[in-house]
Amino acid sequence: MAYSNNVRPMPEKPNFHMTPEEFRRHGKAVVDWIADYYEHVESYPVMSQAKPGQIRASLPKNPPAQGEPFEAMLKDVEKLILPGITHWQSPNFFAFFPSNTSFPSIMGEMLSAGLGVQGMLWATSPACTELETHVLDWLVDMLALPKSFSSSSNGGGVIQDTASNSSLCALLAARERATNYASNEHGCDGRLVAYTSSQAHSSIEKAVKIAGLGRENLRLVEVDETFAMRPAALAAQIKNDTAAHRIPCFVSATVGTTSSNAMDPVRAIGEICREHKIWLHVDAAMSGTAALCPEFRWIHDGLELADSYCFNPHKWMFTNFDCDCFYVADRKALINTMSVLPEYLRNQATESGAVIDYRDWHVPLGRRFRALKLWFVIRHYGIEGLQHHVRRHVELAQQFASWVRNDTQFELAAPVPLNLVCFRHRAGDAVTQAIMDRLNQSGDLYFTHTKLDGKFTLRLCIGQTATELQHVQSAWLRIREEAAAAKA
Ligand SMILES: Cc1ncc(COP(=O)(O)O)c(C=O)c1O
């Protein structure tokens, strides 16, 4: 139907909703649009070339007084929004850690939006809770996680929005356990201390601020030459703090640090935590997915000593953002920490004690039906399909690392345990940075940097759904071309 003046005609009776028939039509157009986008995503400049304020300036100053036709909105996505998109799903996206997705996941997300349920309590949609429990138990087996994390033991898993929130919940539970649940009642004891390595993700520092421990009570433990936490340095710090009448309550170990994919030695750290009765959280945000493959499960050695663990299917397991899986070995500690029960949430199922109410497992009350997309991903790929793609990414990264290793101009800056390669030009920081800046500006690929041993270091992470050998080959070719240009 054609509309005049870009205004939807007034319905006869005042009802401005889209009809199921219109939704059917426009919804199909949206699916087509998404499919076309994926077919052509490689042709866009990977990093958005938009200047600050450019997208906003292209938008109408005022909201429409009268509703607009859907076609106009979809056209504007193409015209106004796409220029401001960095194409995370491009096979030439190698920046940060991936945030990959897949069509089964997208369809799970659509159904979740379509059902529109809010799963704060078991009673508000039993399937939302029970599917989540079930899929998280599947993942315990799929990743060979300790049985203590399964819902059939004293622990269990829950989907959180992000690893940041999982770490926060772990820290809050650690704080409460260490103070016999008194901090929730009387405020935080200023003597509580948390530990993580100097290479840990910034979300740990943020959690320490939010949980009220105070940043001065976070110890950034020294790392070894592979950028992994030194257990002896951790033990020494704990000893100092205990001698000063402080209360060590929380250690966060990282399986795959953001900077360089370093693997903290979980077993040695876990033994120290057990000795001192300290909560051990393991943050495996990206790298945890590798444990789908038995040959990479060494990254989790000692995980049975952990009190909590998280990894993000929204990074490397083809499940669109957001989806973080958070596990605890003792669900009571978490629930006692988080639970508040106002009258308006009371219901028979909760009172019976026979159900899980996930609202007690994290900060927000409301929760989306995220398990659907994870369920679809696991069912579509099967364990073997997921293993295949994870192995392929690791193989490609190892291939790239071997090219760097054999090149006289470049050097590896850290070990390459999985799918992240850290490297730099031997000519120094200026040339290394120029290579990155020129390539990112070119739109051909997108990668980011870190500093290791005080030196500017490039990070190339291989984990996007559609990345294949030819993308990695052409990245290496372009990197060498730009190195030649930067030196000229
Ligand atoms: C090791 C690690 N932990 C935590 C995070 C934070 O992840 P999220 O965005 O899910 O909070 C990241 C992000 O890259 C990470 O690499």
Side-chain angles (χ1 to χ4, degrees):
M1 186 197 291
Y3 298 108
S4 60
N5 298 332
N6 223 23
V7 168
R8 245 179 343 108
M10 263 299 255
E12 278 162 30
K13 280 191 265 168
N15 176 354
F16 299 94
H17 299 305
M18 188 180 275
T19 65
E21 201 38 52
E22 286 171 320
F23 171 67
R24 205 183 303 280
R25 188 158 50 85
H26 299 317
K28 285 175 183 163
V30 169
V31 169
D32 279 344
W33 191 95
I34 296 172
D36 288 347
Y37 173 70
Y38 276 82
E39 274 176 354
H40 299 121
V41 67
E42 211 175 324
S43 62
Y44 297 110
V46 189
M47 190 177 85
S48 169
Q49 312 285 309
K51 301 279 175 285
Q54 175 190 324
I55 304 303
R56 189 128 193 237
S58 72
L59 299 170
K61 193 157 177 287
N62 299 312
Q66 290 166 338
E68 297 179 50
F70 185 78
E71 289 85 347
M73 302 177 211
L74 199 53
K75 255 192 211 147
D76 280 350
V77 169
E78 189 104 21
K79 194 169 126 205
L80 308 179
I81 301 300
L82 271 190
I85 292 294
T86 287
H87 299 280
W88 282 72
Q89 303 313 321
S90 166
N92 297 312
F93 183 100
F94 302 104
F96 307 107
F97 276 161
S99 190
N100 68 18
T101 185
S102 62
F103 293 126
S105 171
I106 294 168
M107 289 190 285
E109 185 79 68
M110 283 165 64
L111 282 168
S112 163
L115 290 169
V117 303
Q118 208 275 54
M120 58 190 176
L121 301 167
W122 176 89
T124 60
S125 259
C128 181
T129 295
E130 294 194 14
L131 182 66
E132 185 161 330
T133 309
H134 200 69
V135 170
L136 272 93
D137 276 352
W138 273 4
L139 282 164
V140 169
D141 292 337
M142 290 168 66
L143 272 65
L145 298 178
K147 291 285 174 238
S148 55
F149 290 154
S150 146
S151 69
S152 58
S153 69
N154 293 330
V158 58
I159 301 181
Q160 304 254 358
D161 52 2
T162 57
S164 303
N165 261 337
S166 286
S167 298
L168 173 62
C169 290
L171 176 55
L172 292 171
R175 184 191 76 185
E176 291 310 306
R177 194 177 75 175
T179 58
N180 204 16
Y181 301 89
S183 301
N184 266 343
E185 308 306 323
H186 313 297
C188 190
D189 187 321
R191 293 177 304 147
L192 293 171
V193 186
Y195 306 79
T196 196
S197 92
S198 60
Q199 297 292 305
H201 190 262
S202 55
S203 51
I204 305 300
E205 183 181 334
K206 199 186 250 187
V208 164
K209 294 201 308 182
I210 297 169
L213 266 69
R215 203 152 40 183
E216 65 181 26
N217 290 322
L218 172 64
R219 308 278 180 261
L220 296 179
V221 179
E222 191 188 308
V223 293
D224 64 17
E225 62 291 345
T226 70
F227 306 101
M229 189 193 287
R230 282 187 195 278
L234 172 68
Q237 274 283 5
I238 291 171
K239 202 169 154 205
N240 283 347
D241 286 322
T242 312
H245 304 292
R246 297 188 174 279
I247 308 169
C249 74
F250 177 77
V251 174
S252 180
T254 314
V255 166
T257 59
T258 318
S259 242
S260 71
N261 218 2
M263 303 290 170
D264 286 347
V266 174
R267 180 170 300 285
I269 294 169
E271 280 162 3
I272 295 166
C273 290
R274 282 280 161 108
E275 185 191 336
H276 296 276
K277 298 193 172 49
I278 302 173
W279 184 290
L280 172 61
H281 175 62
V282 175
D283 171 6
M286 179 191 69
S287 299
T289 294
L292 285 165
C293 307
E295 66 272 31
F296 302 135
R297 287 187 187 150
W298 58 268
I299 62 174
H300 285 160
D301 179 49
L303 196 56
E304 69 279 8
L305 301 172
D307 294 284
S308 56
Y309 168 83
C310 72
F311 86 106
N312 287 356
H314 74 224
K315 280 190 162 52
W316 194 18
M317 216 182 92
F318 313 103
T319 309
N320 65 283
F321 192 90
D322 51 356
C323 184
D324 165 271
C325 296
F326 176 54
Y327 290 93
V328 285
D330 173 12
R331 59 179 174 263
K332 275 207 192 114
L334 179 66
I335 294 169
N336 287 347
T337 300
M338 309 303 280
S339 188
V340 182
L341 183 58
E343 185 56 36
Y344 47 80
L345 293 179
R346 285 186 187 278
N347 66 88
Q348 275 181 0
T350 299
E351 240 110 275
S352 76
V355 301
I356 290 177
D357 289 324
Y358 276 128
R359 74 186 182 95
D360 292 334
W361 292 54
H362 48 49
V363 176
L365 169 64
R367 58 197 330 270
R368 310 197 300 115
F369 195 172
R370 296 188 188 91
L372 262 184
K373 61 187 174 189
L374 199 47
W375 191 45
F376 278 18
V377 167
I378 296 169
R379 292 184 64 182
H380 170 83
Y381 286 93
I383 298 170
E384 289 175 13
L386 292 170
Q387 288 173 333
H388 167 84
H389 289 290
V390 165
R391 282 191 180 115
R392 186 70 186 131
H393 287 154
V394 175
E395 199 183 342
L396 289 172
Q398 297 301 325
Q399 215 157 357
F400 185 90
S402 74
W403 300 333
V404 175
R405 209 176 280 119
N406 294 326
D407 191 288
T408 51
Q409 296 191 72
F410 288 89
E411 63 184 7
L412 288 176
V416 186
L418 297 169
N419 59 336
L420 175 72
V421 185
C422 292
F423 63 109
R424 56 193 166 224
H425 199 281
R426 289 179 190 274
D429 284 4
V431 171
T432 306
Q433 180 161 5
I435 295 169
M436 183 185 83
D437 291 344
R438 294 166 76 114
L439 276 170
N440 289 345
Q441 280 307 315
S442 79
D444 291 349
L445 62 137
Y446 182 27
F447 62 149
T448 47
H449 81 282
T450 187
K451 273 209 168 153
L452 293 175
D453 296 321
K455 294 183 193 159
F456 195 94
T457 301
L458 303 173
R459 297 168 71 266
L460 190 117
C461 192
I462 297 171
Q464 281 312 331
T465 309
T467 300
E468 293 291 349
L469 178 61
Q470 73 265 24
H471 304 106
V472 183
Q473 275 173 329
S474 72
W476 180 230
L477 185 75
R478 294 288 292 113
I479 287 165
R480 281 182 308 156
E481 278 172 10
E482 291 301 341
K487 279 180 70 193

PDB file of all heavy atoms in Angstrom, residues 97 161-165 201 203 254 256-258 283 285-286 312 314-315 321 324, ligand 1:
ATOM      1  N   PHE A  97      37.365  -9.241  21.821  1.00  0.00           N
ATOM      2  CA  PHE A  97      37.008 -10.646  21.706  1.00  0.00           C
ATOM      3  C   PHE A  97      35.769 -10.663  20.818  1.00  0.00           C
ATOM      4  O   PHE A  97      35.042  -9.666  20.760  1.00  0.00           O
ATOM      5  CB  PHE A  97      36.701 -11.246  23.084  1.00  0.00           C
ATOM      6  CG  PHE A  97      37.926 -11.706  23.846  1.00  0.00           C
ATOM      7  CD1 PHE A  97      37.867 -11.890  25.221  1.00  0.00           C
ATOM      8  CD2 PHE A  97      39.126 -11.984  23.208  1.00  0.00           C
ATOM      9  CE1 PHE A  97      38.978 -12.322  25.933  1.00  0.00           C
ATOM     10  CE2 PHE A  97      40.245 -12.427  23.909  1.00  0.00           C
ATOM     11  CZ  PHE A  97      40.167 -12.586  25.275  1.00  0.00           C
ATOM     12  N   ASP A 161      23.207 -11.401  32.032  1.00  0.00           N
ATOM     13  CA  ASP A 161      23.436 -10.621  30.817  1.00  0.00           C
ATOM     14  C   ASP A 161      24.917 -10.657  30.425  1.00  0.00           C
ATOM     15  O   ASP A 161      25.253 -10.857  29.262  1.00  0.00           O
ATOM     16  CB  ASP A 161      22.924  -9.176  30.969  1.00  0.00           C
ATOM     17  CG  ASP A 161      23.447  -8.467  32.210  1.00  0.00           C
ATOM     18  OD1 ASP A 161      24.250  -9.058  32.958  1.00  0.00           O
ATOM     19  OD2 ASP A 161      23.063  -7.303  32.424  1.00  0.00           O
ATOM     20  N   THR A 162      25.796 -10.471  31.390  1.00  0.00           N
ATOM     21  CA  THR A 162      27.217 -10.323  31.056  1.00  0.00           C
ATOM     22  C   THR A 162      28.109 -10.994  32.103  1.00  0.00           C
ATOM     23  O   THR A 162      27.681 -11.229  33.239  1.00  0.00           O
ATOM     24  CB  THR A 162      27.611  -8.823  31.040  1.00  0.00           C
ATOM     25  OG1 THR A 162      27.292  -8.278  32.317  1.00  0.00           O
ATOM     26  CG2 THR A 162      26.898  -8.053  29.951  1.00  0.00           C
ATOM     27  N   ALA A 163      29.353 -11.199  31.715  1.00  0.00           N
ATOM     28  CA  ALA A 163      30.353 -11.716  32.662  1.00  0.00           C
ATOM     29  C   ALA A 163      30.576 -10.713  33.784  1.00  0.00           C
ATOM     30  O   ALA A 163      30.853 -11.097  34.924  1.00  0.00           O
ATOM     31  CB  ALA A 163      31.664 -11.989  31.941  1.00  0.00           C
ATOM     32  N   SER A 164      30.443  -9.428  33.474  1.00  0.00           N
ATOM     33  CA  SER A 164      30.622  -8.406  34.519  1.00  0.00           C
ATOM     34  C   SER A 164      29.638  -8.635  35.653  1.00  0.00           C
ATOM     35  O   SER A 164      30.003  -8.572  36.835  1.00  0.00           O
ATOM     36  CB  SER A 164      30.394  -7.005  33.948  1.00  0.00           C
ATOM     37  OG  SER A 164      31.251  -6.764  32.875  1.00  0.00           O
ATOM     38  N   ASN A 165      28.394  -8.898  35.309  1.00  0.00           N
ATOM     39  CA  ASN A 165      27.402  -9.114  36.364  1.00  0.00           C
ATOM     40  C   ASN A 165      27.615 -10.432  37.087  1.00  0.00           C
ATOM     41  O   ASN A 165      27.328 -10.544  38.275  1.00  0.00           O
ATOM     42  CB  ASN A 165      25.979  -9.021  35.798  1.00  0.00           C
ATOM     43  CG  ASN A 165      25.389  -7.648  36.067  1.00  0.00           C
ATOM     44  OD1 ASN A 165      25.818  -6.955  36.986  1.00  0.00           O
ATOM     45  ND2 ASN A 165      24.408  -7.243  35.289  1.00  0.00           N
ATOM     46  N   HIS A 201      40.225  -8.691  33.819  1.00  0.00           N
ATOM     47  CA  HIS A 201      39.338  -7.740  33.153  1.00  0.00           C
ATOM     48  C   HIS A 201      38.900  -6.643  34.128  1.00  0.00           C
ATOM     49  O   HIS A 201      38.725  -6.887  35.326  1.00  0.00           O
ATOM     50  CB  HIS A 201      38.107  -8.487  32.610  1.00  0.00           C
ATOM     51  CG  HIS A 201      37.275  -7.638  31.708  1.00  0.00           C
ATOM     52  ND1 HIS A 201      36.140  -6.979  32.139  1.00  0.00           N
ATOM     53  CD2 HIS A 201      37.419  -7.324  30.401  1.00  0.00           C
ATOM     54  CE1 HIS A 201      35.616  -6.314  31.128  1.00  0.00           C
ATOM     55  NE2 HIS A 201      36.382  -6.504  30.056  1.00  0.00           N
ATOM     56  N   SER A 203      36.204  -5.487  34.728  1.00  0.00           N
ATOM     57  CA  SER A 203      34.922  -5.721  35.403  1.00  0.00           C
ATOM     58  C   SER A 203      35.131  -6.168  36.855  1.00  0.00           C
ATOM     59  O   SER A 203      34.240  -5.997  37.684  1.00  0.00           O
ATOM     60  CB  SER A 203      34.097  -6.765  34.645  1.00  0.00           C
ATOM     61  OG  SER A 203      34.856  -7.916  34.402  1.00  0.00           O
ATOM     62  N   THR A 254      41.435 -15.822  35.998  1.00  0.00           N
ATOM     63  CA  THR A 254      40.947 -15.656  34.626  1.00  0.00           C
ATOM     64  C   THR A 254      41.449 -16.793  33.747  1.00  0.00           C
ATOM     65  O   THR A 254      42.645 -17.096  33.729  1.00  0.00           O
ATOM     66  CB  THR A 254      41.426 -14.316  34.030  1.00  0.00           C
ATOM     67  OG1 THR A 254      41.216 -13.284  34.986  1.00  0.00           O
ATOM     68  CG2 THR A 254      40.668 -13.985  32.754  1.00  0.00           C
ATOM     69  N   GLY A 256      41.842 -17.132  30.215  1.00  0.00           N
ATOM     70  CA  GLY A 256      41.823 -16.381  28.955  1.00  0.00           C
ATOM     71  C   GLY A 256      41.677 -14.890  29.207  1.00  0.00           C
ATOM     72  O   GLY A 256      40.584 -14.334  29.035  1.00  0.00           O
ATOM     73  N   THR A 257      42.771 -14.233  29.610  1.00  0.00           N
ATOM     74  CA  THR A 257      42.671 -12.792  29.900  1.00  0.00           C
ATOM     75  C   THR A 257      42.389 -12.011  28.615  1.00  0.00           C
ATOM     76  O   THR A 257      42.739 -12.444  27.510  1.00  0.00           O
ATOM     77  CB  THR A 257      43.974 -12.256  30.529  1.00  0.00           C
ATOM     78  OG1 THR A 257      45.040 -12.493  29.610  1.00  0.00           O
ATOM     79  CG2 THR A 257      44.266 -12.913  31.858  1.00  0.00           C
ATOM     80  N   THR A 258      41.809 -10.845  28.795  1.00  0.00           N
ATOM     81  CA  THR A 258      41.382 -10.042  27.649  1.00  0.00           C
ATOM     82  C   THR A 258      42.581  -9.537  26.846  1.00  0.00           C
ATOM     83  O   THR A 258      42.567  -9.557  25.619  1.00  0.00           O
ATOM     84  CB  THR A 258      40.546  -8.852  28.155  1.00  0.00           C
ATOM     85  OG1 THR A 258      39.683  -9.319  29.183  1.00  0.00           O
ATOM     86  CG2 THR A 258      39.742  -8.240  27.034  1.00  0.00           C
ATOM     87  N   ASP A 283      36.747 -16.582  35.834  1.00  0.00           N
ATOM     88  CA  ASP A 283      36.173 -15.819  34.718  1.00  0.00           C
ATOM     89  C   ASP A 283      36.772 -16.366  33.417  1.00  0.00           C
ATOM     90  O   ASP A 283      37.936 -16.121  33.110  1.00  0.00           O
ATOM     91  CB  ASP A 283      36.531 -14.336  34.913  1.00  0.00           C
ATOM     92  CG  ASP A 283      36.164 -13.475  33.706  1.00  0.00           C
ATOM     93  OD1 ASP A 283      35.542 -13.984  32.762  1.00  0.00           O
ATOM     94  OD2 ASP A 283      36.525 -12.278  33.715  1.00  0.00           O
ATOM     95  N   ALA A 285      35.370 -15.793  30.330  1.00  0.00           N
ATOM     96  CA  ALA A 285      34.382 -15.126  29.471  1.00  0.00           C
ATOM     97  C   ALA A 285      34.432 -15.614  28.027  1.00  0.00           C
ATOM     98  O   ALA A 285      33.431 -16.095  27.501  1.00  0.00           O
ATOM     99  CB  ALA A 285      34.566 -13.623  29.550  1.00  0.00           C
ATOM    100  N   MET A 286      35.559 -15.490  27.386  1.00  0.00           N
ATOM    101  CA  MET A 286      35.608 -16.002  26.011  1.00  0.00           C
ATOM    102  C   MET A 286      36.103 -17.445  25.955  1.00  0.00           C
ATOM    103  O   MET A 286      35.510 -18.300  25.305  1.00  0.00           O
ATOM    104  CB  MET A 286      36.502 -15.174  25.101  1.00  0.00           C
ATOM    105  CG  MET A 286      36.504 -15.790  23.683  1.00  0.00           C
ATOM    106  SD  MET A 286      37.731 -15.155  22.552  1.00  0.00           S
ATOM    107  CE  MET A 286      39.222 -15.776  23.263  1.00  0.00           C
ATOM    108  N   ASN A 312      30.902 -16.836  28.401  1.00  0.00           N
ATOM    109  CA  ASN A 312      29.929 -16.109  27.591  1.00  0.00           C
ATOM    110  C   ASN A 312      29.659 -16.795  26.249  1.00  0.00           C
ATOM    111  O   ASN A 312      30.449 -16.617  25.307  1.00  0.00           O
ATOM    112  CB  ASN A 312      30.464 -14.713  27.230  1.00  0.00           C
ATOM    113  CG  ASN A 312      30.475 -13.752  28.394  1.00  0.00           C
ATOM    114  OD1 ASN A 312      30.018 -14.085  29.475  1.00  0.00           O
ATOM    115  ND2 ASN A 312      30.977 -12.559  28.162  1.00  0.00           N
ATOM    116  N   HIS A 314      27.826 -15.602  24.363  1.00  0.00           N
ATOM    117  CA  HIS A 314      27.690 -14.438  23.457  1.00  0.00           C
ATOM    118  C   HIS A 314      29.039 -13.941  22.945  1.00  0.00           C
ATOM    119  O   HIS A 314      29.086 -12.972  22.187  1.00  0.00           O
ATOM    120  CB  HIS A 314      26.870 -13.309  24.091  1.00  0.00           C
ATOM    121  CG  HIS A 314      27.544 -12.506  25.175  1.00  0.00           C
ATOM    122  ND1 HIS A 314      26.910 -12.157  26.339  1.00  0.00           N
ATOM    123  CD2 HIS A 314      28.781 -11.952  25.282  1.00  0.00           C
ATOM    124  CE1 HIS A 314      27.708 -11.432  27.096  1.00  0.00           C
ATOM    125  NE2 HIS A 314      28.856 -11.299  26.474  1.00  0.00           N
ATOM    126  N   LYS A 315      30.100 -14.584  23.356  1.00  0.00           N
ATOM    127  CA  LYS A 315      31.372 -14.215  22.750  1.00  0.00           C
ATOM    128  C   LYS A 315      31.726 -15.191  21.616  1.00  0.00           C
ATOM    129  O   LYS A 315      31.871 -14.787  20.477  1.00  0.00           O
ATOM    130  CB  LYS A 315      32.484 -14.198  23.807  1.00  0.00           C
ATOM    131  CG  LYS A 315      32.493 -12.924  24.649  1.00  0.00           C
ATOM    132  CD  LYS A 315      33.723 -12.836  25.511  1.00  0.00           C
ATOM    133  CE  LYS A 315      33.996 -11.428  26.012  1.00  0.00           C
ATOM    134  NZ  LYS A 315      32.874 -10.749  26.681  1.00  0.00           N
ATOM    135  N   PHE A 321      24.491 -11.618  21.562  1.00  0.00           N
ATOM    136  CA  PHE A 321      24.512 -10.870  22.814  1.00  0.00           C
ATOM    137  C   PHE A 321      23.081 -10.581  23.244  1.00  0.00           C
ATOM    138  O   PHE A 321      22.275 -10.181  22.415  1.00  0.00           O
ATOM    139  CB  PHE A 321      25.277  -9.551  22.586  1.00  0.00           C
ATOM    140  CG  PHE A 321      25.598  -8.840  23.847  1.00  0.00           C
ATOM    141  CD1 PHE A 321      26.784  -9.101  24.516  1.00  0.00           C
ATOM    142  CD2 PHE A 321      24.715  -7.916  24.380  1.00  0.00           C
ATOM    143  CE1 PHE A 321      27.086  -8.444  25.695  1.00  0.00           C
ATOM    144  CE2 PHE A 321      25.018  -7.265  25.563  1.00  0.00           C
ATOM    145  CZ  PHE A 321      26.199  -7.530  26.219  1.00  0.00           C
ATOM    146  N   ASP A 324      25.399 -14.797  29.163  1.00  0.00           N
ATOM    147  CA  ASP A 324      26.541 -15.267  29.971  1.00  0.00           C
ATOM    148  C   ASP A 324      26.034 -16.392  30.864  1.00  0.00           C
ATOM    149  O   ASP A 324      24.964 -16.275  31.460  1.00  0.00           O
ATOM    150  CB  ASP A 324      27.065 -14.110  30.845  1.00  0.00           C
ATOM    151  CG  ASP A 324      27.993 -14.597  31.953  1.00  0.00           C
ATOM    152  OD1 ASP A 324      27.499 -14.926  33.046  1.00  0.00           O
ATOM    153  OD2 ASP A 324      29.212 -14.641  31.709  1.00  0.00           O
TER     154      ASP A 324
HETATM  155  C1  LIG B   1      38.065 -12.073  30.551  1.00  0.00           C
HETATM  156  C2  LIG B   1      36.866 -11.189  30.444  1.00  0.00           C
HETATM  157  N1  LIG B   1      36.046 -11.046  31.493  1.00  0.00           N
HETATM  158  C3  LIG B   1      34.964 -10.260  31.432  1.00  0.00           C
HETATM  159  C4  LIG B   1      34.647  -9.568  30.297  1.00  0.00           C
HETATM  160  C5  LIG B   1      33.427  -8.695  30.290  1.00  0.00           C
HETATM  161  O1  LIG B   1      32.453  -9.302  29.510  1.00  0.00           O
HETATM  162  P1  LIG B   1      30.939  -8.784  29.536  1.00  0.00           P
HETATM  163  O2  LIG B   1      30.827  -7.789  28.451  1.00  0.00           O
HETATM  164  O3  LIG B   1      30.134 -10.019  29.300  1.00  0.00           O
HETATM  165  O4  LIG B   1      30.698  -8.193  30.883  1.00  0.00           O
HETATM  166  C6  LIG B   1      35.462  -9.671  29.173  1.00  0.00           C
HETATM  167  C7  LIG B   1      35.160  -8.944  27.931  1.00  0.00           C
HETATM  168  O5  LIG B   1      35.808  -9.034  26.940  1.00  0.00           O
HETATM  169  C8  LIG B   1      36.590 -10.502  29.246  1.00  0.00           C
HETATM  170  O6  LIG B   1      37.417 -10.625  28.217  1.00  0.00           O
END
